[in-house]
Amino acid sequence: MVRKHVVLAGDLAGTVVFAIEGASAAIQAGLDLLGVLVLSFIVALGGGVVRDVLIGATPPNAIRDWRYPLLAFAAGLLTFAFHAPVAAAPPMLLITLDAAGLAIFAATGAEKAIDYAITPLNAILMGAVTGCGGGVIRDLLLTRTPLILMADIYATAALLGAAVVVVCRRLNWPPAVATALGCLVCFVVRMAAVQFHWQLPRVA
Amino acid sequence: MVRKHVVLAGDLAGTVVFAIEGASAAIQAGLDLLGVLVLSFIVALGGGVVRDVLIGATPPNAIRDWRYPLLAFAAGLLTFAFHAPVAAAPPMLLITLDAAGLAIFAATGAEKAIDYAITPLNAILMGAVTGCGGGVIRDLLLTRTPLILMADIYATAALLGAAVVVVCRRLNWPPAVATALGCLVCFVVRMAAVQFHWQLPRVA
Amino acid sequence: MVRKHVVLAGDLAGTVVFAIEGASAAIQAGLDLLGVLVLSFIVALGGGVVRDVLIGATPPNAIRDWRYPLLAFAAGLLTFAFHAPVAAAPPMLLITLDAAGLAIFAATGAEKAIDYAITPLNAILMGAVTGCGGGVIRDLLLTRTPLILMADIYATAALLGAAVVVVCRRLNWPPAVATALGCLVCFVVRMAAVQFHWQLPRVA
């Protein structure tokens, strides 16, 4: 019961953080108010929508439940109204909040896939889709190749966090522990990657 | 019974108008005959397909029923064959037909979402997705940021029309009245926006 | 029984060929290892995932069954490790393998749609989506207008192969014959189009 509330609280917090990022990207790209709200919705909820469609959990949470879009739109609208302070926020704060959002989405995304009887490898992928899907759709709408395919340890951190959740659940550890550990691993890997400039290999 | 036929007739008319627009965009972008037919299908039916996938009404209408793709392809083929007169049509005629198509799709899209027990806020969003989704996918395929995110009162008109449908249905007005009023509001707002050059605010 | 194994073998072979192509495109575009694996997955399995979502067969095969993603990732990883010999392969070999993959996906895609009671015209479209969908998503991720919309007889070959499958099944021919004939027609048309530089018409 407590766990359910913690997961919900985390989910809503992640939605707000990602919606602010989506709105900021839209403002930077010169979109109008509608574009800002659309990107708030998509960055915050797009990954979860794609996951739900793929695992057969339709209508997706964000379409079934009016609180998610309302929250995303509210965060987007506030970002639009107070764009100057948001744009002036220290980058490290944004990166840290983003890493926290990524961790929550990756861990809870993998967990939902497991609950829908998705096999382990695919559940890990679904965790990464939940965490990174919104950002990929944002990049497509702004017509740029998704950043996560080119640089940074970002989706990789999500995959690792999701993998921890899946392994813990296979070991029959309590779901609360699995989620917490998965979040922690994703967050730490992401922050370490930023700190130490880790990059994946590429063909020279 | 009469209403059902009117809605179907409107739906088919909207499909034809949007298919012609999709084909015209494809021809202008230099695509070949296949590209023209694909864009006819996507602009005409893509919004409804996305809506149906999201509300869990699969297979979507356009995939279940062969008349929709046939109609879209026929309209695309005719546009390909007679591209010169289509390209020479007065812009205001195209804008008016497009506004009518948008109005029909937004109103019927919201209504279908309500029939699938989607909550009001999300039903409004589904109306806008039905009306604007095809154009967004067209822009992605032609690798340009969707116009509706950057300028014009277009998706906004769809949202308003869909909202009217949802409110009327909540007030238990007859569905025929709800649909008609929603269409009217969307159409009038869109045409007024074109006439008076209304724009949404953006961060300067 | 034998047919089922032949179809499965073909399906897996097609997955490997398309995954290698996806990985090669990612390497050429300068993506990192994660980008290579993502494009391997998407080019190999994206078309089938879209088809399954559209015909209501969720979770899609590639999300339900861990062997498909594993195979795609393995092929992508090997392409990453041995990119020099892959890049040095004679173009005609790649084109031939690609045509074989396209033929298999188009024929089996149409067949699966028929098994899900999709009407003939739409089943043909689903065959083409299965064969070409992954390549389209690849082009979107690399922000270029999908090649198949602009040039070449590629999706057209997939449509013809799928149409053969649908017609044979309507004539109550054995599924094995339908699949084999559909594959053959798609493959031959595609190779002839390459050989003789066939192009679809376009508006000058």
Side-chain angles (χ1 to χ4, degrees), chain A residues 145 149-150 202-203, chain C residues 19-40 43 76 79-80 138 142 144:
Chain A
T145 294
L149 302 179
M150 296 197 289
R202 74 182 65 214
V203 172
Chain C
I20 293 172
E21 293 183 36
S24 304
I27 291 170
Q28 252 191 314
L31 304 190
D32 66 12
L33 178 56
L34 182 96
V36 169
L37 295 180
V38 168
L39 277 203
S40 304
V43 173
T79 306
F80 185 81
R138 172 203 63 207
L142 300 177
R144 54 193 193 204

Side-chain angles (χ1 to χ4, degrees), chain B residues 27 30-35 38 41 49 53 58-60 62-66 69-70 73 80 83 140-143, chain C residues 53-56 118-119 121-122 125-126 136 140 143-146 148-152 155-156 159 200-203:
Chain B
I27 291 169
L31 305 190
D32 66 13
L33 177 56
L34 183 96
V38 168
F41 182 95
V49 166
V53 166
T58 52
I63 307 297
R64 193 198 315 253
D65 188 331
W66 56 269
L70 194 68
F73 290 144
F80 186 80
H83 55 93
L140 291 183
L141 289 173
L142 300 177
T143 58
Chain C
V53 167
L54 289 181
I55 66 175
I118 302 295
T119 54
L121 173 59
N122 293 307
L125 298 179
M126 290 303 103
V136 168
L140 291 183
T143 58
R144 54 193 193 204
T145 293
I148 62 160
L149 301 180
M150 295 197 290
D152 267 349
T156 310
L159 286 167
L200 286 177
R202 75 182 63 214
V203 172

Side-chain angles (χ1 to χ4, degrees), chain B residues 3 107 110-111 114 120 123-124 159-185:
Chain B
R3 172 182 163 252
E111 196 143 314
I114 295 170
I124 295 171
L159 287 166
L160 288 174
V164 168
V165 172
V166 169
V167 169
C168 289
R169 291 288 296 265
R170 295 284 284 189
L171 297 172
N172 278 319
W173 292 15
V177 176
T179 309
L181 258 185
C183 275
L184 189 70
V185 166

